[in-house]
């Protein structure tokens, strides 16, 4: 991985845009391999892994790091390794000496895998605000030292103020980059209830660092923090429109008031137990399913459907998609066939294109006034400009017969979602509600009819 101007290039020289998930290895060491495979199956192209050097948390050993790298490479995931011991510290020696010594131990290992591995020197070092020169000078020194000990990987650096202060990074990013003889530095914001409290704050910080022409991403973000909401929908839309990478916090295992930031259940760590936050990160139109493109295939991706998109950076929709990894209701169990996302523009761009989806191919004798056959079933895959509902059966478009397929006039169902026209269940949430997937959006199965 190597920075070129404001872009990050993979080992093949192609632009890479993070669409990843944070995984807390240091606290849940027995869940890491499973978690990596789960986010891979959902289409993520990267993981940021929490490590520890022993200063605060139990040290992540060389052998552990070697295994983590192997799991990520097998899944085809770019892997950011970060030290979490010095979160909020203002002590320069924590990163210029202690963190440096840890990375020195890992040097030969990470250098061998530099096409996959990015070194995030220390998570959220410098918790204090309004000390821009401290941040700039310390990281300039740290970057020089990392290169002096022989680290060849791309280096990631978090903003001050627990990752949320914009001024120092905007003002000193160029000087930190200049300190690196390899010019291979990625800068990272962490967006929570300060930087992400409203669109004005968010766009000011994003546009400010963007104007500096450096490579930057959002290394962490959530939907809420410490009683304050985060404009996460605006963040994801901005990043899609501007080709900026992001890594959502976090797969599972948050504690206290932060448990709401779990993307999936801490009981299972499974992709089949996604929270509402997880569903949005993976299945909204700006989410991983529609905007993630992998740098590498990996050896366990033949049937996973994990390379789920080809750069669909055009959508600004903020709707939830409460589906799981098998959300395409007319597709085979591992197909995840939305390879061309934003597919609801016309009746021929349906993603649910399974040729075996309706076996009664000769039973559909009815036609509508425009000579299109009516669908046998009620699964909606697109909506015409006139409001007509369309499906996809036997490899061709058909019109939904609304006199047969209707939602009984019941309007909006739970959480404000519409009832499904059809009865195909793609996901059952923890509260027992059955969900379907029609017209590229989630809907609630109408149990009074199905």
């Amino acid at each position: 991985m190597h920075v070129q101007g404001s872009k990050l290039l993979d080992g093949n020289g192609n632009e890479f845009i993070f669409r990843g998930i944070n995984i807390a290895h240091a606290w849940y060491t027995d869940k890491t391999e499973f978690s990596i495979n789960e986010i891979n199956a959902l289409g993520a192209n990267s993981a940021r892994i929490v490590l520890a050097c022993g200063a605060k948390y139990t040290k992540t050993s060389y052998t552990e790091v070697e295994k983590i790298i192997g799991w990520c490479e097998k899944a085809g995931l770019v892997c950011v390794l970060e030290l979490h011991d010095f979160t909020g510290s203002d002590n320069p020696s924590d990163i210029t000496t202690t963190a440096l010594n840890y990375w020195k131990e890992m040097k030969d290992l990470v250098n061998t895998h530099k096409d996959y591995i990015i070194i995030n020197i220390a998570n959220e070092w410098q918790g204090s605000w309004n000390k821009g020169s401290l941040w700039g000078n310390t990281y300039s020194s740290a970057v020089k030292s990392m290169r002096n000990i022989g680290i060849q990987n791309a280096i990631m650096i978090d903003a001050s103020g627990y990752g949320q202060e914009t001024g120092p990074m905007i003002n000193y990013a160029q000087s930190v980059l200049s300190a690196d003889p390899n010019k291979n530095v990625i800068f990272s914001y962490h967006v929570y209830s300060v930087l992400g409290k409203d669109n004005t704050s968010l766009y000011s910080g994003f546009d400010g660092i963007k104007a500096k022409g450096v490579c930057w991403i959002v290394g962490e973000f959530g939907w809420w923090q410490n009683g304050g909401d985060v404009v996460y929908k605006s963040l994801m839309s901005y990043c899609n429109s501007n080709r900026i990478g992001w890594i959502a916090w976090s797969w599972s295992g948050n504690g206290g008031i932060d448990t709401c930031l779990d993307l999936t259940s801490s009981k299972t760590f499974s992709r089949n137990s996604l929270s509402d936050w997880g569903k949005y990160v993976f299945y909204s139109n700006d989410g991983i399913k529609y905007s993630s493109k992998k740098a590498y295939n990996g050896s366990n991706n033949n049937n996973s459907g994990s390379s789920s998109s080809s750069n669909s950076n055009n959508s600004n929709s903020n709707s939830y998609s409460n589906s799981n990894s098998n959300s395409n209701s007319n597709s085979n169990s591992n197909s995840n066939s939305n390879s061309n996302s934003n597919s609801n523009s016309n009746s021929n761009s349906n993603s649910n294109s399974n040729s075996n989806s309706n076996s009664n191919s000769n039973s559909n004798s009815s036609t509508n006034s425009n000579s299109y056959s009516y669908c046998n079933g009620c699964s909606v895959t697109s909506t015409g400009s006139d409001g007509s509902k369309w499906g996809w059966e036997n490899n061709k478009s058909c019109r939904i017969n609304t006199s047969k397929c209707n939602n009984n006039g019941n309007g909006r169902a739970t959480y404000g979602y519409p009832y499904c026209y059809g009865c195909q269940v793609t996901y059952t949430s923890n509260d027992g509600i059955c969900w379907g997937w029609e017209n590229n959006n989630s809907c609630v199965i109408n149990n009074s009819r199905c």
Side-chain angles (χ1 to χ4, degrees):
M1 308 297 289
H2 197 277
V3 169
Q4 185 177 86
S6 62
K7 296 181 179 181
L8 179 64
L9 306 182
D10 64 26
N12 298 315
N14 299 314
E15 183 181 9
F16 179 76
I17 301 173
F18 284 96
R19 289 293 181 266
I21 303 297
N22 281 274
I23 295 176
H25 170 79
W27 309 309
Y28 301 94
T29 56
D30 61 330
K31 302 293 187 183
T32 305
E33 181 180 14
F34 180 73
S35 299
I36 287 170
N37 290 335
E38 291 295 272
I39 70 167
N40 171 52
L42 290 175
N45 64 14
S46 49
R48 181 172 177 261
I49 309 294
V50 177
L51 307 182
C53 67
K56 184 174 182 179
Y57 306 109
T58 302
K59 182 178 179 179
T60 309
S61 69
Y62 184 102
T63 301
E64 285 179 85
V65 176
E66 188 173 34
K67 288 180 179 178
I68 291 167
I69 292 173
W71 297 331
C72 285
E73 289 195 354
K74 188 176 180 181
L77 301 183
V78 171
C79 180
V80 179
L81 301 176
E82 62 100 338
L83 279 184
H84 219 81
D85 302 77
F86 308 117
T87 301
S89 169
D90 286 357
N91 183 355
S93 68
D94 284 341
I95 60 171
T96 58
T97 302
T98 311
L100 184 74
N101 288 336
Y102 180 83
W103 294 122
K104 187 175 181 179
E105 289 181 44
M106 305 296 162
K107 177 189 69 173
D108 293 338
L109 175 60
V110 297
N111 282 348
T112 300
H113 301 273
K114 60 188 177 184
D115 281 349
Y116 280 84
I117 303 303
I118 294 166
I119 303 300
N120 194 168
I121 299 177
N123 178 71
E124 296 177 3
W125 180 84
Q126 193 180 320
S128 63
W129 290 60
N130 302 315
K131 295 181 180 179
S133 60
L134 173 65
W135 183 88
N137 293 337
T138 303
Y139 270 118
S140 292
S141 175
V143 166
K144 289 178 183 177
S145 297
M146 291 283 281
R147 297 307 183 204
N148 287 340
I149 64 172
I151 296 290
Q152 300 170 7
N153 305 69
I155 292 172
M156 185 175 289
I157 294 174
D158 297 345
S160 54
Y162 290 91
Q164 298 199 76
E165 188 180 22
T166 60
M169 197 161 83
I170 291 170
N171 294 330
Y172 289 91
Q174 284 287 359
S175 63
V176 173
L177 180 63
S178 296
D180 179 12
N182 297 347
K183 303 296 183 287
N184 200 14
V185 178
I186 305 159
F187 297 91
S188 174
Y189 281 135
H190 291 182
V191 181
Y192 294 104
S193 57
V194 178
L195 176 52
K197 65 180 179 180
D198 53 42
N199 287 344
T200 299
S201 300
L202 184 79
Y203 296 150
S204 176
F206 282 12
D207 289 343
I209 193 64
K210 181 183 174 185
K212 296 298 179 179
V214 297
C215 182
W216 66 280
I217 72 162
V218 177
E220 287 185 21
F221 72 104
W223 69 271
W224 180 93
Q225 183 205 33
N226 294 336
D229 291 333
V230 180
V231 289
Y232 63 96
K233 294 180 181 180
S234 298
L235 180 156
M236 292 170 68
S237 177
Y238 182 105
C239 287
N240 260 1
S241 298
N242 291 276
R243 303 179 68 81
I244 303 299
W246 53 254
I247 308 175
W249 186 273
S250 69
W251 183 239
S252 197
N254 289 285
I257 62 173
D258 292 330
T259 55
C260 64
L261 294 178
D262 283 353
L263 292 157
T264 192
S265 168
S266 60
K267 295 180 180 178
T268 66
F269 280 69
S270 168
R271 68 181 187 267
N272 295 319
S273 306
L274 293 180
S275 63
D276 284 349
W277 170 227
K279 293 167 192 172
Y280 194 88
V281 165
F282 284 100
Y283 290 112
S284 68
N285 286 349
D286 287 319
I288 283 173
K289 185 176 181 64
Y290 299 107
S291 65
S292 174
K293 183 179 181 181
K294 285 203 164 183
Y296 314 108
N297 288 327
S299 60
N300 63 354
N301 285 323
N302 292 335
N303 294 309
S304 69
S306 58
S307 295
S308 59
S309 174
S310 57
N311 267 341
S312 71
N313 292 306
N314 299 315
S315 174
N316 291 320
S317 172
N318 291 319
S319 59
Y320 270 90
S321 301
N322 280 293
S323 57
N324 63 11
S325 60
N326 296 319
S327 62
N328 295 314
S329 59
N330 288 329
S331 60
N332 287 322
S333 60
N334 286 317
S335 64
N336 280 323
S337 57
N338 286 335
S339 59
N340 293 313
S341 61
N342 300 323
S343 61
N344 57 346
S345 59
N346 61 57
S347 61
N348 292 316
S349 61
N350 304 295
S351 57
N352 295 330
S353 56
N354 182 355
S355 62
N356 296 316
S357 60
N358 287 286
S359 59
N360 297 323
S361 59
N362 295 318
S363 63
N364 190 3
S365 58
S366 299
T367 60
N368 63 26
S369 59
N370 291 321
S371 298
Y372 281 97
S373 296
Y374 280 120
C375 301
N376 288 313
C378 298
S379 182
V380 178
T381 57
S382 65
T383 300
S385 59
D386 59 354
S388 57
K389 306 294 182 182
W390 296 84
W392 182 262
E393 296 177 355
N394 305 316
N395 280 331
K396 62 181 180 180
S397 290
C398 54
R399 189 162 183 166
I400 298 297
N401 187 341
T402 53
S403 64
K404 179 183 74 171
C405 303
N406 62 73
N407 59 17
N408 288 347
N410 290 334
R412 310 295 284 186
T414 185
Y415 307 134
Y417 290 96
Y419 283 108
C420 302
Y421 278 80
C423 298
Q424 180 69 45
V425 177
T426 59
Y427 175 72
T428 302
S429 54
N430 292 335
D431 54 6
I433 295 173
C434 295
W435 297 82
W437 181 259
E438 296 178 352
N439 196 27
N440 274 340
N441 278 295
S442 288
C443 54
V444 176
I445 299 298
N446 191 335
N447 292 326
S448 67
R449 184 167 57 85
C450 298

